Amino acid sequence: MDRPETAWLQPLAEAVRARRTKLGLTQQEVSVLAGCGPVFIYDVESGRKATLRLDKLLDVLHVLGLQLALEPGQHRLRVSEPTT
């Protein structure tokens, strides 16, 4: 069950997990490609850790062909639907 303080991370966690599985990669493979530990990938995909290192997160997103974008808005986090 999601903890209230990290529930807002679920869209990010689901997007990362969905992209990784679509690419046919394991958490271990992504961790090697991104230069981080497999525990970090687990933390991102579980959506239960509110503090993640931004540089590592950006490396993971890059490996998966995803990007982080900042835009004006009222939501704490919004994940866009894939266009392809």
Side-chain angles (χ1 to χ4, degrees), residues 8 13-15 24 29 40 44 50 60-61 64-65 67 70 72 79 83:
W8 62 274
E14 292 167 10
E29 291 168 328
F40 184 79
V44 171
V60 170
L61 295 177
L64 297 174
Q67 67 184 16
L70 300 176
V79 176
T83 57

Side-chain angles (χ1 to χ4, degrees), residues 2-11 47-51 76:
D2 296 335
R3 296 184 328 209
E5 65 271 17
T6 59
W8 62 274
L9 283 170
Q10 286 309 303
R48 294 187 182 128
K49 186 173 181 187
T51 58
R76 189 167 190 184

